[in-house]
Amino acid sequence: MVSAEAIGSAVHDAVVRAATELRPDALEAMRAALARERSDRGRTVLGQLIENAGVAAGDGVPLCQDTGSVWVLLEVGEDECVCGDVPAAVDRAVAAAYAEARLRMSIARDALLDRANTGDNTPAFIDVAFRPGPGVTVHVMLKGGGSDNASALAMLSPAEADEGVVRFVTESVARSAAAACPPVVVGVGIGATFDKVGTLAKKALLRPVGAAHPDPHAAALERRLHGEIDALGIGPGGLGGTVTALAVHVLTAPCHIASLPVAVNVGCSAVRSASVEVR
């Protein structure tokens, strides 16, 4: 049995870690990008981003001043029982973590009716999925406004197939990536329904940066998209260069026979997430 309080404790620790420590896979991808970047300006930007990651981890300060909204994905084991008010426990943990780590509060009370700041960066945005086995895997992602604003969604015709997906994703990145602190990680969700495909795209960002999809078709699509996006020449910091994307991650799901939902969710150069196992 896993309590809401245990999940809240995991969220608290993950928020602080995600805000201040660049994921090791992302840091490795940044160093690899520095090695293949041909632009002097792009190399300077990448060097500064790598230095910034070192300072943030060493001093325990945020990687970025926009410490984001908090997305929590709970993967609950099918043999597990979760007890208590999980949303309330998560919000308490988020409020405490943001206050203790002195992270910027960035949540408005209502998107249209009341733009006042909630003052504690709550509510968090929670999704729940199920997996085999015991325990709960708690994934926490901090999403800054610039990267989340670069998101896009389309309900394509199945006849558009791979070509339609490539066109939509590339056009979306071309339009918005310069404002999303590149080099970016591009999460692409394909399938499910209108309300679920965005979660697929965001979940794709949890995969280690550059780890290929296990399916050969999806992996080939990732490579093609990565090439098309880098060819845009947006470059590190949006200042031009060889590397616009550190990686493209595709995540697919079933869908209606008449639909081809596609969503793009961009992770900025400080792609910030942390995962904790709770048992």
Side-chain angles (χ1 to χ4, degrees), residues 177-271:
C181 301
V184 296
V185 181
V186 183
V188 181
I190 305 173
T193 57
F194 169 81
D195 56 316
K196 298 297 184 184
V197 69
T199 300
L200 282 178
K202 188 170 283 189
K203 189 175 179 181
L205 297 177
L206 296 173
R207 192 195 311 167
V209 176
H213 196 288
D215 180 86
H217 184 171
L221 180 60
E222 289 176 339
R223 290 192 298 271
R224 181 179 174 187
L225 284 166
H226 197 170
E228 296 279 352
I229 289 168
D230 276 353
L232 295 170
I234 294 170
L239 301 175
T242 309
V243 180
T244 297
L246 296 175
V248 178
H249 294 169
V250 169
L251 188 59
T252 65
C255 70
H256 191 282
I257 57 173
S259 301
L260 180 58
V262 183
V264 174
N265 191 245
V266 173
C268 67
S269 56
V271 57

Side-chain angles (χ1 to χ4, degrees), residues 22-44:
L22 188 62
R23 284 170 22 188
D25 56 298
L27 185 56
E28 182 180 347
M30 198 83 71
R31 289 173 174 149
L34 179 60
R36 66 187 179 91
E37 176 58 56
R38 294 194 296 269
S39 160
D40 288 341
R41 185 175 293 172
R43 288 177 58 80
T44 297

Side-chain angles (χ1 to χ4, degrees), residues 3-206:
S3 69
E5 288 72 21
I7 291 173
S9 178
V11 168
H12 177 283
D13 294 346
V15 164
V16 177
R17 179 150 51 97
T20 59
E21 299 177 20
L22 188 62
R23 284 170 22 188
D25 56 298
L27 185 56
E28 182 180 347
M30 198 83 71
R31 289 173 174 149
L34 179 60
R36 66 187 179 91
E37 176 58 56
R38 294 194 296 269
S39 160
D40 288 341
R41 185 175 293 172
R43 288 177 58 80
T44 297
V45 171
L46 288 167
Q48 290 172 340
L49 291 171
I50 292 168
E51 181 183 5
N52 178 74
V55 171
D59 293 353
V61 296
L63 286 155
C64 174
Q65 54 80 26
D66 185 350
T67 50
S69 59
V70 180
W71 177 60
V72 178
L73 172 63
L74 302 176
E75 291 186 323
V76 181
E78 60 189 14
D79 300 328
E80 195 57 72
C81 177
V82 177
C83 299
D85 189 339
V86 172
V90 168
D91 280 350
R92 286 194 298 270
V94 168
Y98 271 72
E100 292 166 17
R102 299 182 179 180
L103 308 180
R104 197 184 84 182
M105 315 297 184
S106 301
I107 301 300
R109 290 176 182 168
D110 187 274
L112 180 64
L113 303 178
D114 185 355
R115 297 290 301 190
N117 197 304
T118 63
D120 60 5
N121 220 62
T122 68
F125 302 92
I126 304 173
D127 282 306
V128 179
F130 297 93
R131 59 164 175 77
V136 177
T137 306
V138 179
H139 303 284
V140 172
M141 182 176 290
L142 311 184
K143 288 292 291 179
S147 63
D148 234 22
N149 289 348
S151 303
L153 188 153
M155 302 297 289
L156 302 182
S157 163
E160 296 183 70
D162 285 21
E163 295 303 319
V165 171
V166 171
R167 181 175 61 254
F168 171 71
V169 173
T170 304
E171 289 176 353
S172 299
V173 174
R175 183 170 57 250
S176 303
C181 301
V184 296
V185 181
V186 183
V188 181
I190 305 173
T193 57
F194 169 81
D195 56 316
K196 298 297 184 184
V197 69
T199 300
L200 282 178
K202 188 170 283 189
K203 189 175 179 181
L205 297 177
L206 296 173

